Structures are given as structure tokens and as C-alpha cells.
């Protein structure tokens, strides 16, 4: 709809600027070209599909330069629309005839028109300009940012592009008041208009955030925490075919940039790929770093490994903005291991160094650092396969080698002296001391589960990590893959179960559709069928030891069961295993944590607070499992008793 003349006057300025704008009469688009050229405009718009660049069959007529000019399209003397005239300069790079496409974009409008241009043979000079073609015109809103592309059809060369910011209307202002931001719309009381807030995206369509139909004048208040650089405002009168005005006033606002980084999140997709979630596009640099237990800050790898597919540090404008350890749920708590960095050179040359706070110590070395003194043993462990590989690419690899056995050897004599001294104490005092020490360490908990899929393993890792923050000592095969591979699943589980029960701990059976299927198979056949199970599947191996405890009535008090809401209903658990409590998580977290306490321990008043702490730590993993990005999550609704919504992840 035409914009009132006085608004155009306010936006564009007084005479002679406004009066100098050319006026076009009538609603129809038109085209004209330089003398000697012939051109025509197609009757209707076309689809905006540039297509791929193809080889030219011979000389082609191609756009070389774009120019724009503001004009007025008027229905009456004082009712005019602001319009953008586009001039395309042409040169012969190869045909005497071309179809030239003009693509126009100003949120939320996008148009493409097709111009046919023909050049007489007498004007053809290869590589020289032959004239221009002018299109009248693309209607645009005051205050909007307009983008225009031009290319031929078919496309022989890279398209031309041009961006222009149109003048803003003076009745839409942004002002600050402490922590709040005011959008002031100075329009008449009778004017009805729409107001929309959206996130403008460099790639993809804008993301709407808020929309209302209002009557002027209005003052809209925004909290400063809602501001991000790509937050834009769109205003339009509630009339048919009205032109919409867009402004993005927070692009350079320091608070908006600070809020953007506070809202940004790193999310692990696979062990070596990540996703940075943020409301706006972020120019940033990522780097892999390492941190010792209790150390701060995270230190860079020297020499660095490739960081194209992984990050724990994100920097912008040479300032650290975001730092996360994305693998904590799968690797467990920080350990006192030594990180060995392997770098690879030409002709299969490689070197090793140990990462320490003072730098990367070459191995072997005569330095006085801890890694240098143990360098020979670390290299032996690496060659014998006792170190865990964390990273591998063309530039090098990263290994974690355990240090606990060396620490134990070094302090063996000291510990022996302490034990001899402790033996002199009375038996009562020793028992009280041992009891107090056990209470401080917390109750032991052995977590058993069926490795249905990688997503469920990450969910189990998140639960185990959350329980470690409580007075519990959690054992799970995810964190003991090295011992599990060396001993075998049956021997590893037998040793863990015996140690846990001897210490008065508890065995947690975490049921899933795959676990229920394995239990049912054992109860029917008495043996585990030759399924396709991996070397780390401790749950299948554990059934030979778990079932006798349930069949002989020894399970109550030493075992509890659990399953996740929406994945499995407790009634799907075989009746034999329901002789012990079976809790659903996270809905029954307080009761579940109460069951994991010492049998005679009083119920802590902080139990609800701890349940909320575990629930918060578990929620991101639950969201990722039941609502995975992009594709349906594997393993949902498989097996007996899958809960509602398990099949579609809702």
C-alpha cells in the first residue's frame, strides 16, 4: 500500500532531495535499455534458481556491474511507494542474446524477474561493454536492507551481488533505560500496525521470536538479556499489500554480543565432532586443550593437533568465550593420568612428549619433572597397549597413560610404615576409624546395563557421572574398558560384584528394552544364546552371577532396579527382578537415591536437593536421547515394554 507522502518526506529529507527523486506513474514494472540494444521483460516473476555454472558454448552476453537508484512509484500526487531501480551493465564474453535474471530479497519479500536482451552484431566487441538494461522497479520498505543478485540463464559466470540499506522511518526509535530497552513507535492513535521480532540468519530463513498486532502509539519494553546482535524489528501497517519496514539496531551493541556468548552451547555429536548452538552466526576459532585435575585454566596442546572436528575452547576477538569438557559423561571423572602427545613427520618419523604444566616434556628425557623420571615406564606401557588412545589424525595422536601404579610403588615403604604404626592401635579405635573412613567415602554402587546403542551408553554415562557427585563410589564398565578387555566380562563383573557386596554396597540393574530381552532369554533357556555381543557387554556376562542371588532370595537389600521414563515401563521388567524395588528415572529420583544410601543411615534432609542436582545433570542427556538433532535416535521403542512415545522420540 502507498506510504503517506509526509512519512516519505520525513525519512528522505526536505527539498530538493525528495523533489529530485524521479516519479514513475502507474503500477506496472518496466524495462528499457541502451540505444542499439533490444530488451523485454517477461510478463510474470520466475523461480529464483540460479543453478550451477556451465561452460559457455561460445561468446556470451554477461552482466558486469550493478547500479541502484531510489525512485518513487506514485498512484496519486501524494501517494507514492519507495522503489529501487536496478541498472545492469553488460559485456560480450561470448552470445549476442542473453536471458538476464534479477533476484531481489528484502525480508520477508523475495522476487526474481527475467529480462531478455539482444545485441546487434555491429556492437559486438569481445570483452567490451555494450550498454546496459534498466529495470523499474522493486518496491522496498523504508529502513530495510535490500540484496540484489544478477546472473544469466543458463549461468556462465559467478553472479553479481549488491546490498543497499534504505533510509529508516523517524517514528521507530530504540532507546535504553537502565537494564531495559524501549521500542518507541510514534504513530497516530488510529493507526493499526503489526510488530514482529525475529533473529536474522546469514544462512537459512529468519527465526520468528515474537509478534503482535497493535494500535499506536506504543512503547515496547525489552529486557537487556533478550538482546542479541541478530535481533531485528519489523513494522507494517495492518492494511492490504502494505510495505514492511525492517531494522536491526543491536548489531554493534556490546551487551548483545555478551548475551550471544552466554546463550551459546557446545554439544557433542560423536566422539570427534561437535556443534556450536547459538541464536546468531558466530565467527570464532576452536582449539583442543587439556587440564590437570584441579588445574586452571585449560592449557593448549604444544604442538597442537588438528582442531577442525573437535573443540573445548572457543575464542572470538582473541578472547576466550566458551570452554567445556564434552567427553566427561563418557570418560568419567578426571584422573591423574599422563597425556602423551605423539607428533608425526615425513617418512614415518614420530616423536613423543608428556604434557605437563611446564610444557611438553620430550621422552625419553633427563629433566627433573615427574614425567621425565617415569619416561621409560610410560613408553613401555604405550608399547604394551596399556595406554588409552583419545585422539588420532594425520598430524599425530593423544594417549592417556595411568600413573596410579607408579605412585603406589614409590610410596610403598611409607604406606608400610603407616600400617605398622596403625597396627599398634587398639582394635576398637581401628574399627571406629575404618567405619568413619567408609562413611566419608560413601557407599559403593555397581551400575549394570545393556549396551543397546551408543545413545543409551551416553545416557548411562551421564547418570553415573551425576551419581559420582553424591556420597557414592560408582563403578561402571564404561570407565573400565581397559580392565574389562584384559580380564574378560565374566571375570571383571564377578570381581566388581564381590567387592561391592563385601563392602556393603549396592548393585543397580538399569533395565532397558535390550536388558529385558536378555533377561527373558536367560529365564527361558538358562543360557545366553550366541548373540552378536561385543567384548565390553558386561550385562550379558553378569546374568550368570545375578540370577542365583535372585533365585535364592539374597537380592533384597543388595540390589535395586531402575529404568528411564518413556523408554520402559516397570511392569515390563521380569517378575523375578521385581522382588527388589524398581524405580523410574527421573520421576522417582528421591526414592532411588534413598535406596542407594547405607541401610541403617538416616534419611538426609538434603535428599530432595540432591535429587534435583542429579535431575539437572541428567536432563541434557535425556533431551539428546529422546529428541536427537536431525535424525530419529536409534533403539527407541525396541523390545518388550517400550513406553509411550518411545518409537518417535516424543
Amino acid at each position: 500500500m502507498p506510504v503517506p507522502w509526509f512519512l516519505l518526506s520525513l525519512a528522505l529529507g526536505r527539498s530538493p532531495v525528495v523533489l529530485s527523486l524521479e516519479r514513475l506513474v502507474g503500477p506496472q514494472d518496466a524495462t528499457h535499455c541502451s540505444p542499439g540494444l533490444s530488451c523485454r521483460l517477461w510478463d510474470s516473476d520466475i523461480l529464483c534458481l540460479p543453478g550451477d555454472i556451465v561452460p559457455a558454448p561460445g561468446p556470451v552476453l554477461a552482466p558486469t556491474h550493478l547500479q541502484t537508484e531510489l525512485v518513487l512509484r506514485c498512484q496519486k500526487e501524494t501517494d507514492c511507494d519507495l522503489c529501487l531501480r536496478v541498472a545492469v551493465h553488460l559485456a560480450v564474453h561470448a552470445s549476442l542474446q542473453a536471458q538476464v535474471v534479477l533476484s531481489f530479497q528484502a525480508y520477508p519479500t523475495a522476487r526474481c524477474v527475467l529480462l531478455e536482451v539482444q545485441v546487434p552484431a555491429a556492437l559486438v566487441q569481445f570483452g567490451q561493454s555494450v550498454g546496459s538494461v534498466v529495470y523499474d522497479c522493486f518496491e522496498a520498505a523504508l529502513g530495510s536492507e535490500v540484496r540484489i543478485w544478477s546472473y544469466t540463464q543458463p549461468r556462465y559466470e559467478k553472479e553479481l551481488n549488491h546490498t543497499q540499506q534504505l533510509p529508516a522511518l523517524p517514528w521507530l526509535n530504540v532507546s535504553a533505560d537502565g537494564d531495559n530497552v524501549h521500542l518507541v513507535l510514534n504513530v497516530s492513535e488510529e493507526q493499526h500496525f503489526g510488530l514482529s521480532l525475529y533473529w536474522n540468519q546469514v544462512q537459512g530463513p529468519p527465526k520468528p521470536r515474537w509478534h503482535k498486532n497493535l494500535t499506536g502509539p506504543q512503547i515496547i519494553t525489552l529486557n537487556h538479556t533478550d538482546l542479541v546482535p541478530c535481533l531485528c524489528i519489523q513494522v507494517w501497517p495492518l492494511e492490504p499489500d502494505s510495505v514492511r519496514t525492517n531494522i536491526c539496531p543491536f548489531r554493534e551493541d556490546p551487551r548483545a554480543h555478551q548475551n550471544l556468548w552466554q546463550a551459546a552451547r557446545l554439544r557433542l555429536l560423536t566422539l570427534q565432532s561437535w556443534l556450536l548452538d547459538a541464536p546468531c552466526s558466530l565467527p570464532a576459532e576452536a582449539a583442543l586443550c587439556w587440564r590437570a585435575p584441579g588445574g586452571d585454566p585449560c592449557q593448549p596442546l604444544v604442538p597442537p593437533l588438528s582442531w577442525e572436528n573437535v573443540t573445548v575452547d572457543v575464542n572470538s576477538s582473541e578472547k576466550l568465550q566458551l570452554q567445556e569438557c564434552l567427553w566427561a559423561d563418557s570418560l568419567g571423572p578426571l584422573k591423574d593420568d599422563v597425556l602423551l602427545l605423539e607428533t608425526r613427520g615425513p617418512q614415518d618419523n614420530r616423536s613423543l612428549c608428556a604434557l605437563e604444566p611446564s610444557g611438553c616434556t620430550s621422552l625419553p628425557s633427563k629433566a627433573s619433572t615427574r614425567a621425565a623420571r617415569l619416561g621409560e615406564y610410560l613408553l613401555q606401557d604405550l608399547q604394551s597397549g596399556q595406554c588409552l588412545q583419545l585422539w588420532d589424525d594425520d598430524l599425530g595422536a593423544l594417549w592417556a597413560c595411568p600413573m596410579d601404579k607408579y605412585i603406589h610403588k614409590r610410596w610403598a615403604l611409607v604406606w608400610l610404615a603407616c600400617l605398622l604404626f596403625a597396627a599398634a592401635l587398639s582394635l576398637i579405635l581401628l574399627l571406629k576409624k575404618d567405619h568413619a573412613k567408609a562413611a566419608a567415602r560413601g557407599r559403593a554402587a555397581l551400575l549394570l546395563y545393556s549396551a543397546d546403542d551408543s545413545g543409551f551408553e551416553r545416557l548411562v554415562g551421564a547418570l553415573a557421572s551425576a551419581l559420582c557427585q553424591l556420597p557414592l563410589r560408582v563403578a561402571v564398565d564404561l570407565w573400565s574398558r581397559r580392565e574389562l578387555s584384559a580380564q574378560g566380562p565374566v571375570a571383571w563383573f564377578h570381581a566388581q560384584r564381590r567387592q561391592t557386596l563385601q563392602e556393603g554396597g549396592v548393585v543397580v540393574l538399569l533395565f532397558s528394552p535390550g536388558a529385558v530381552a536378555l533377561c527373558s532369554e536367560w529365564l527361558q533357556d538358562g543360557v545366553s544364546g550366541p548373540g552378536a555381543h561385543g567384548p565390553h557387554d558386561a550385562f550379558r556376562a553378569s546374568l550368570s552371577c545375578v540370577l542365583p542371588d535372585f533365585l535364592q532370595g539374597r537380592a533384597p537389600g543388595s540390589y535395586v532396579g531402575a529404568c528411564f521414563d518413556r523408554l520402559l515401563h516397570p511392569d515390563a521388567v521380569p517378575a523375578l527382578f521385581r522382588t527388589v524395588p524398581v524405580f523410574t528415572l527421573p520421576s522417582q529420583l528421591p526414592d532411588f537415591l534413598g535406596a542407594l544410601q547405607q541401610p541403617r543411615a538416616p534419611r538426609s534432609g538434603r535428599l530432595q536437593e540432591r535429587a534435583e542436582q542429579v535431575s539437572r545433570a541428567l536432563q541434557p542427556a535425556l533431551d539428546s536421547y529422546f529428541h536427537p538433532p536431525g535424525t530419529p535416535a536409534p533403539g527407541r521403542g525396541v523390545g518388550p515394554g517400550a513406553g509411550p512415545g518411545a518409537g518417535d522420540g516424543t
Side-chain angles (χ1 to χ4, degrees):
M1 178 168 179
V3 180
W5 177 251
F6 79 94
L7 291 180
L8 282 176
S9 301
L10 288 173
L12 301 177
R14 298 185 178 274
S15 177
V17 176
V18 172
L19 298 180
S20 66
L21 293 185
E22 182 179 341
R23 298 191 183 199
L24 306 178
V25 179
Q28 299 299 322
D29 293 347
T31 185
H32 59 275
C33 47
S34 300
L37 305 184
S38 61
C39 54
R40 76 180 184 91
L41 172 67
W42 277 39
D43 294 336
S44 59
D45 290 359
I46 64 170
L47 294 177
C48 299
L49 300 173
D52 297 328
I53 297 178
V54 299
V60 292
L61 188 63
T64 59
H65 181 59
L66 281 176
Q67 277 185 297
T68 58
E69 178 186 0
L70 288 178
V71 296
L72 298 177
R73 171 175 284 166
C74 302
Q75 305 292 331
K76 299 179 182 179
E77 178 66 22
T78 58
D79 286 336
C80 299
D81 284 329
L82 192 62
C83 214
L84 200 64
R85 169 182 288 166
V86 181
V88 184
H89 295 265
L90 304 167
V92 174
H93 288 184
S95 119
L96 306 182
Q97 181 173 338
Q99 291 185 335
V100 179
V101 177
L102 286 180
S103 175
F104 169 86
Q105 185 179 44
Y107 177 76
T109 303
R111 288 185 59 198
C112 280
V113 297
L114 183 63
L115 312 176
E116 283 192 355
V117 186
Q118 189 168 1
V119 182
L123 295 180
V124 173
Q125 294 183 11
F126 187 78
Q128 299 297 318
S129 175
V130 295
S132 62
V133 58
V134 177
Y135 170 74
D136 287 329
C137 55
F138 291 117
E139 293 186 8
L142 289 167
S144 62
E145 181 180 78
V146 174
R147 298 178 182 178
I148 298 175
W149 292 265
S150 179
Y151 50 89
T152 59
Q153 186 173 280
R155 190 158 66 102
Y156 301 120
E157 298 181 356
K158 182 175 176 61
E159 66 270 15
L160 299 176
N161 65 82
H162 179 79
T163 301
Q164 181 163 340
Q165 182 71 47
L166 273 63
L169 287 175
W171 43 265
L172 176 58
N173 294 309
V174 179
S175 62
D177 180 14
D179 287 341
N180 295 323
V181 173
H182 299 310
L183 307 181
V184 181
L185 294 106
N186 252 336
V187 298
S188 63
E189 295 182 359
E190 299 81 13
Q191 177 70 59
H192 301 279
F193 62 92
L195 179 67
S196 176
L197 302 181
Y198 63 93
W199 286 344
N200 193 27
Q201 304 295 302
V202 174
Q203 295 181 346
K207 296 180 180 180
R209 304 298 298 167
W210 183 84
H211 169 265
K212 267 191 178 182
N213 292 335
L214 304 167
T215 301
Q218 289 283 345
I219 298 179
I220 310 298
T221 301
L222 302 177
N223 193 290
H224 74 96
T225 58
D226 297 327
L227 306 184
V228 291
C230 61
L231 180 64
C232 299
I233 307 161
Q234 184 180 86
V235 185
W236 67 97
L238 295 178
E239 298 171 351
D241 300 325
S242 58
V243 178
R244 302 192 176 200
T245 298
N246 299 269
I247 61 170
C248 301
F250 308 111
R251 289 175 178 171
E252 307 300 329
D253 192 317
R255 294 178 301 176
H257 284 271
Q258 182 180 359
N259 293 339
L260 178 59
W261 281 109
Q262 290 176 349
R265 292 293 180 269
L266 278 173
R267 185 153 51 90
L268 188 66
L269 299 181
T270 66
L271 283 180
Q272 291 187 349
S273 64
W274 57 275
L275 177 67
L276 177 60
D277 281 328
C280 312
S281 298
L282 282 174
E285 180 179 297
L288 188 67
C289 68
W290 72 282
R291 180 190 298 161
D296 189 45
C298 197
Q299 302 186 47
L301 298 182
V302 180
L305 293 177
S306 170
W307 48 265
E308 294 177 354
N309 297 323
V310 67
T311 182
V312 290
D313 273 2
V314 177
N315 300 272
S316 180
S317 302
E318 300 182 356
K319 178 182 178 182
L320 179 63
Q321 299 284 4
L322 188 60
Q323 184 180 99
E324 292 188 23
C325 184
L326 301 178
W327 300 271
D329 291 341
S330 58
L331 295 180
L334 290 173
K335 302 175 183 177
D336 191 20
D337 291 351
V338 170
L339 292 177
L340 297 185
L341 182 60
E342 175 187 347
T343 55
R344 297 165 183 159
Q347 301 178 351
D348 295 331
N349 292 331
R350 71 169 190 167
S351 60
L352 287 165
C353 64
L355 291 170
E356 298 185 282
S358 58
C360 203
T361 304
S362 299
L363 296 181
S365 172
K366 296 182 179 180
S368 59
T369 65
R370 181 182 69 162
R373 288 192 294 268
L374 300 174
E376 180 180 350
Y377 301 105
L378 292 172
L379 293 175
Q380 291 176 359
D381 286 350
L382 180 62
Q383 294 174 357
S384 61
Q386 298 186 44
C387 298
L388 178 65
Q389 188 177 63
L390 302 177
W391 182 260
D392 187 25
D393 63 17
D394 294 338
L395 298 179
L398 190 64
W399 306 82
C401 298
M403 288 290 292
D404 50 356
K405 60 182 179 181
Y406 304 118
I407 297 174
H408 293 161
K409 289 180 181 178
R410 186 175 182 181
W411 294 98
L413 294 176
V414 178
W415 281 113
L416 180 60
C418 293
L419 290 175
L420 291 175
F421 177 78
L425 299 177
S426 67
L427 181 61
I428 296 177
L429 183 60
L430 179 61
L431 291 176
K432 288 183 177 180
K433 183 177 181 180
D434 288 342
H435 177 74
K437 184 177 180 181
R441 289 193 304 163
R443 193 181 188 189
L446 174 60
L447 187 59
L448 298 178
Y449 69 100
S450 172
D452 291 6
D453 52 56
S454 60
F456 187 73
E457 281 194 305
R458 287 194 291 270
L459 188 57
V460 172
L463 175 62
S465 295
L467 294 178
C468 283
Q469 307 304 316
L470 308 178
L472 289 172
R473 291 177 290 118
V474 180
V476 62
D477 67 340
L478 271 174
W479 301 342
S480 304
R481 290 289 167 82
R482 189 184 300 134
E483 295 85 351
L484 192 67
S485 297
Q487 301 174 19
V490 175
W492 180 86
F493 167 73
H494 182 72
Q496 293 292 328
R497 169 187 164 277
R498 180 176 58 190
Q499 180 180 350
T500 299
L501 297 182
Q502 285 178 350
E503 294 177 1
V506 59
V507 178
V508 180
L509 300 177
L510 191 57
F511 289 100
S512 64
V516 170
L518 285 173
C519 293
S520 300
E521 177 185 345
W522 269 88
L523 292 174
Q524 292 173 6
D525 302 334
V527 295
S528 176
H533 56 278
H536 306 313
D537 193 352
F539 187 84
R540 182 188 294 268
S542 69
L543 290 178
S544 60
C545 298
V546 168
L547 285 174
D549 289 342
F550 281 84
L551 293 172
Q552 298 172 20
R554 298 194 301 265
S558 299
Y559 288 77
V560 296
C563 58
F564 289 107
D565 295 324
R566 296 188 292 167
L567 183 62
L568 188 77
H569 195 279
D571 293 341
V573 177
L576 176 64
F577 296 95
R578 281 186 269 128
T579 56
V580 300
V582 178
F583 305 94
T584 59
L585 307 179
S587 59
Q588 293 183 323
L589 262 175
D591 295 333
F592 175 65
L593 298 183
L596 298 184
Q597 288 185 329
Q598 296 285 356
R600 292 178 296 276
R603 288 184 70 89
S604 171
R606 299 180 57 195
L607 194 59
Q608 183 63 36
E609 178 183 344
R610 290 172 175 172
E612 293 175 357
Q613 176 185 349
V614 173
S615 179
R616 287 193 300 270
L618 192 59
Q619 195 59 48
L622 288 169
D623 292 341
S624 177
Y625 185 76
F626 289 107
H627 303 284
T631 58
R636 313 298 195 269
V638 178
D648 57 6
T650 57

